[in-house]
Amino acid sequence: MINIKENAELNILNHSCAHLLAQAVSHLYPHAKFWVGPVIDDGFYYDMDLGEDSLTEEDLSKIEKEMKKCAKDNKRIVRKEISKVEALEMFKDDEYKIDLINNMEDSAVISCYAQGDFTDLCRGPHVETTKEMKYFKLVKHSGAYWKGDAKNKMLQRVYGVCFYNEEDLNQYMKEIEEAKERDHRKIGKEQEIFMSSQLVGAGMPLWLPNGAIIRKQLENYIYQKEQALGYQHVYTPCVGTKQLYVTSGHWDHYKENIFPVMKVDEEEFVLRPMNCPHHMLVYKNKMHSYRDLPVRIGEFATDFRYEASGAMKGLERVRCMCQNDAHLFVRPDQIGEEFKKVVNLILETYKDFGFKNYSFRLSLRDKEDKEKYFDDDEMWDNAEAKLRDVLNEIGVDYYEAKGEAAFYGPKLDVEVKPAIGPEVTLSTCQLDFLLPRRFELNYIDSNGEKAVPVVIHRAIFGTFDRFTAFLMEETKGIWPLWLSPVQVNIIPVNSEIHADYAHDIKDRLVSLGYRVNVDDRNEKLGYRMRESQMKKIPVTLVLGDNEMNSDSVNVRRYGKEGQTPMKYDELVEVLKKQIEEKY
Ligand code: TSB
Ligand code: ZN
């Protein structure tokens, strides 16, 4: 989808359209007051205070009509520059504008834009006349707290988008519809993958049986990969003392994301936001020689993070999550090699899942930010250069982002774009010279001296939560055979005559580990076949007399035309191959 904010012309057009929206609203709701109306990646919005009124879908159509009228009026959009004193006088009845103006410097020259009977504060620029806004649409509305703070008044936010021609608008609206269809929150509900309940708490997802099957497959997949790479998996508690996080430095650098302290007897506990401290202690549990390194400690670890209430989103951003985490304890001379192995594991995994739309971000420190990042320029420069070297050696495309590093070191993040909303990080691989020192970790080097290991924090799936969310959107809920909650749906042509045979096939497949359903309801064959397609079950078997008498099945693969007859033994081979190929 085109990024409107980054397209210079569309940016101006959409910004102008936000004013057109405000003008129309001021006609229909004379008491309306306006906060801000910025351009965003997918159009624009305007936050407004409509007093007691709250908007409905119908209201949006009415506002759109009024916007068309205002556009047709073809008023010139005129820029005026005024002083702060004049601005305060001009908007004296509008507490929102007064708030904006008060935040400007006394000597500021303030610009406003007038179109017909409507004037708004704005930096501009704008298109020249209202008539230029012809092809627009109000997309949706929602509530939004003033300044994003839940303690403030809830305003109405109206979203819209504007283009220079009808085709672009139609194409865009089509893409929005498609994005809504593959939104993991929609698929997750339809396919009973996860739910949430206010009684449990916002951002605390409950994985339903279908979701649990998928998650188990993901766990098995990555566990096997990690085993093969020499990882050792552990189980550690999802709480820790406050002191543990003071020691690690998270208390100073990450406190706003940690759930409040729980006092038990004389001890202070927190729900853990990260697993690094636990794994540091696992490493420290015994002596290590330089020959033992790397030591790779892995865990599917539940974490809790305080995420702002407006930021939570299905499984993508939650407060209770499970990381596919590992901490790799390496010698300095092993950093490059080990980092490379992680990047290759990411690439291999993404290939297996068929992901194509992702980008590597090398997240570096901001040299000026001495508060967030520990002060050791040489160490940072070395670490950053090392990651850069490996990426160049592997030959993957990446971009650099200043100020995105963790407080303990630079990292490589893999960014993906969800169906709806801004990019998020999926995989991450982070270099850390700090925590091993804070936990006083060591190993005996080749000279018999104590040396400090370097830690690589890495999560290939990120969290199972976010990975599954992204997977749902990438597959559009059409699961490959190995992940599908139901893999094979068996339909006996006659639900009495062929039912025993259907159940026999089911039992045989189940004994091989397949997830199988028999649909022997007394419904028409065509109806049951259609339903199997609608549920996107990868393999449908249709069994009639011929099949029953020859230990055969008739196979229909989801998304493919026609049916293929084959012997049961052949089916087993085909299924096995498709699972191996992750088809
Ligand atoms: C990799 N200590 C490291 C770990 O060893 C760590 O916690 N890194 S992290 O903070 O970047 O988190 C790891 C991954 O968790 C992120 O890359 C992201 O994919 C995922 N994640 C982070 N916050 C959330 C959240 N609120 N909901 C779902 N997933 C999240
Ligand atoms: Zn970590």
Side-chain angles (χ1 to χ4, degrees):
M1 269 209 280
I2 188 163
N3 186 312
I4 288 171
K5 197 173 168 187
E6 283 170 13
N7 178 305
E9 286 190 335
L10 284 176
N11 189 316
I12 295 175
L13 186 69
N14 276 267
H15 197 180
S16 308
C17 202
H19 281 234
L20 190 68
L21 162 65
Q23 183 180 19
V25 170
S26 74
H27 292 169
L28 298 173
Y29 304 84
H31 56 288
K33 287 184 179 149
F34 301 95
W35 175 231
V36 288
V39 177
I40 51 175
D41 290 349
D42 40 18
F44 64 86
Y45 69 74
Y46 217 125
D47 281 352
M48 46 192 86
D49 181 349
L50 301 179
E52 297 302 305
D53 291 318
S54 63
L55 295 171
T56 62
E57 289 293 316
E58 241 171 74
D59 295 328
L60 288 196
S61 316
K62 268 192 229 150
I63 298 171
E64 224 175 70
K65 250 195 208 143
E66 185 63 25
M67 285 169 76
K68 294 246 145 74
K69 231 161 98 193
C70 299
K72 249 200 189 143
D73 259 0
N74 198 17
K75 290 281 184 296
R76 285 199 71 74
I77 302 175
V78 187
R79 180 185 168 98
K80 277 189 215 149
E81 291 185 352
I82 53 177
S83 68
K84 185 166 172 178
V85 175
E86 285 168 317
L88 284 170
E89 172 59 26
M90 188 166 180
F91 292 101
K92 65 175 184 294
D93 298 326
D94 186 334
E95 66 265 31
Y96 295 102
K97 294 285 181 260
I98 296 288
D99 187 271
L100 284 176
I101 299 164
N102 275 335
N103 277 320
M104 297 179 188
E105 286 190 9
D106 286 345
S107 58
V109 176
I110 298 173
S111 57
C112 35
Y113 281 80
Q115 53 196 61
D117 56 4
F118 181 76
T119 303
D120 203 352
L121 273 184
C122 184
R123 233 182 261 132
H126 283 287
V127 295
E128 288 187 0
T129 64
T130 55
K131 207 175 169 186
E132 288 180 53
M133 288 162 285
K134 231 178 181 167
Y135 306 103
F136 56 79
K137 186 108 197 97
L138 295 183
V139 181
K140 61 176 178 182
H141 65 97
S142 69
Y145 291 111
W146 183 44
K147 296 186 176 178
D149 186 338
K151 286 192 235 69
N152 288 340
K153 185 169 184 189
M154 175 81 89
L155 305 179
Q156 307 274 316
R157 178 172 293 179
V158 179
Y159 292 86
V161 67
C162 187
F163 283 94
Y164 279 106
N165 61 62
E166 199 169 2
E167 295 85 74
D168 285 356
L169 177 63
N170 289 345
Q171 172 64 21
Y172 195 76
M173 294 311 293
K174 203 173 126 214
E175 284 172 17
I176 287 186
E177 280 314 306
E178 281 167 6
K180 274 192 207 156
E181 281 304 304
R182 64 186 187 94
D183 184 334
H184 79 276
R185 291 166 291 190
K186 183 167 191 278
I187 296 172
K189 193 163 184 217
E190 280 167 3
Q191 297 196 4
E192 297 182 6
I193 288 172
F194 72 100
M195 60 168 278
S196 58
S197 157
Q198 285 304 324
L199 266 182
V200 179
M204 310 276 181
L206 284 73
W207 290 65
L208 297 169
N210 288 340
I213 288 172
I214 292 163
R215 175 151 159 188
K216 194 53 141 188
Q217 299 308 312
L218 297 179
E219 286 175 4
N220 292 347
Y221 171 88
I222 202 71
Y223 182 80
Q224 278 170 18
K225 292 261 179 217
E226 289 174 354
Q227 281 289 98
L229 287 165
Y231 287 52
Q232 297 168 290
H233 289 87
V234 296
Y235 296 98
T236 62
C238 60
V239 290
T241 61
K242 175 182 159 189
Q243 191 51 41
L244 181 68
Y245 288 95
V246 170
T247 307
S248 67
H250 287 100
W251 193 256
D252 277 346
H253 293 276
Y254 202 70
K255 195 154 143 238
E256 64 283 5
N257 285 94
I258 304 182
F259 270 79
V261 166
M262 295 173 281
K263 216 159 173 227
V264 182
D265 299 332
E266 287 316 302
E267 274 184 303
E268 293 186 311
F269 290 100
V270 291
L271 291 170
R272 71 170 166 196
M274 292 204 190
N275 321 300
C276 342
H278 298 71
H279 292 182
M280 303 281 150
L281 297 176
V282 169
Y283 176 87
K284 209 177 171 178
N285 186 46
K286 63 178 195 182
M287 294 272 288
H288 298 276
S289 136
Y290 69 99
R291 274 184 254 105
D292 308 333
L293 268 46
V295 169
R296 307 176 181 92
I297 306 295
E299 183 173 358
F300 301 154
T302 300
D303 293 329
F304 296 83
R305 292 185 183 176
Y306 172 76
E307 297 279 0
S309 56
M312 253 111 49
K313 185 175 167 202
L315 284 184
E316 183 185 303
R317 188 172 297 280
V318 291
R319 283 179 175 164
C320 172
M321 66 201 80
C322 182
Q323 280 199 46
N324 151 230
D325 201 4
H327 294 91
L328 319 175
F329 299 82
V330 306
R331 299 192 308 256
D333 63 291
Q334 293 172 321
I335 294 173
E337 196 51 35
E338 201 60 21
F339 181 65
K340 197 157 113 190
K341 282 189 189 159
V342 174
V343 179
N344 282 331
L345 179 57
I346 293 173
L347 291 170
E348 206 179 298
T349 303
Y350 282 31
K351 188 160 169 264
D352 279 345
F353 284 90
F355 295 169
K356 293 198 177 69
N357 302 318
Y358 58 89
S359 51
F360 284 110
R361 179 181 75 183
L362 182 56
S363 303
L364 308 171
R365 78 192 184 289
D366 176 357
K367 278 188 187 167
E368 311 304 319
D369 192 345
K370 299 280 181 213
E371 211 175 295
K372 177 168 174 190
Y373 300 115
F374 68 95
D375 196 9
D376 187 339
D377 276 338
E378 196 187 330
M379 195 176 284
W380 276 100
D381 287 341
N382 278 338
E384 294 179 353
K386 205 149 236 164
L387 297 195
R388 213 179 267 123
D389 284 351
V390 173
L391 291 176
N392 291 337
E393 193 191 321
I394 297 178
V396 291
D397 282 340
Y398 64 93
Y399 65 97
E400 301 195 356
K402 206 168 87 174
E404 291 289 340
F407 70 86
Y408 43 70
K411 55 183 179 142
L412 177 70
D413 292 319
V414 187
E415 300 292 295
V416 297
K417 173 84 180 74
I420 292 170
E423 280 195 337
V424 290
T425 302
L426 204 57
S427 311
T428 184
C429 182
Q430 315 169 349
L431 216 49
D432 177 2
F433 295 87
L434 188 64
L435 266 60
R437 289 199 214 162
R438 284 178 161 267
F439 281 92
E440 299 175 338
L441 304 186
N442 59 51
Y443 63 94
I444 305 301
D445 72 12
S446 54
N447 301 319
E449 307 279 338
K450 275 188 183 169
V452 183
V454 178
V455 167
I456 297 176
H457 307 237
R458 46 103 289 174
I460 306 300
F461 287 161
T463 50
F464 289 96
D465 313 82
R466 184 169 289 179
F467 192 84
T468 307
F470 185 62
L471 192 55
M472 277 190 250
E473 300 190 347
E474 283 290 287
T475 57
K476 303 188 175 118
I478 303 166
W479 298 100
L481 184 63
W482 70 290
L483 289 172
S484 187
V486 175
Q487 296 172 301
V488 181
N489 188 31
I490 306 181
I491 306 182
V493 173
N494 182 309
S495 48
E496 275 171 24
I497 302 169
H498 308 120
D500 284 350
Y501 180 55
H503 282 280
D504 174 46
I505 295 281
K506 174 183 171 176
D507 292 346
R508 284 195 268 167
L509 287 174
V510 168
S511 75
L512 295 176
Y514 290 102
R515 301 180 289 274
V516 188
N517 176 58
V518 174
D519 185 358
D520 54 4
R521 287 174 304 166
N522 202 1
E523 297 282 0
K524 290 229 168 67
L525 176 64
Y527 175 84
R528 286 178 288 155
M529 292 280 288
R530 268 195 306 281
E531 199 174 272
S532 199
Q533 291 296 298
M534 251 158 58
K535 287 186 174 163
K536 301 167 181 155
I537 300 173
V539 175
T540 303
L541 304 179
V542 181
L543 310 181
D545 282 344
N546 282 347
E547 289 73 30
M548 189 169 74
N549 296 330
S550 58
D551 199 28
S552 300
V553 294
N554 221 323
V555 185
R556 171 144 196 200
R557 190 65 167 88
Y558 180 83
K560 287 245 152 57
E561 284 302 315
Q563 296 179 22
T564 317
M566 59 181 79
K567 289 276 187 198
Y568 170 79
D569 289 344
E570 203 185 327
L571 169 73
V572 170
E573 284 309 308
V574 169
L575 294 179
K576 203 170 137 207
K577 190 152 171 279
Q578 292 188 353
I579 296 244
E580 274 165 18
E581 289 169 355
K582 307 243 167 330
Y583 169 50

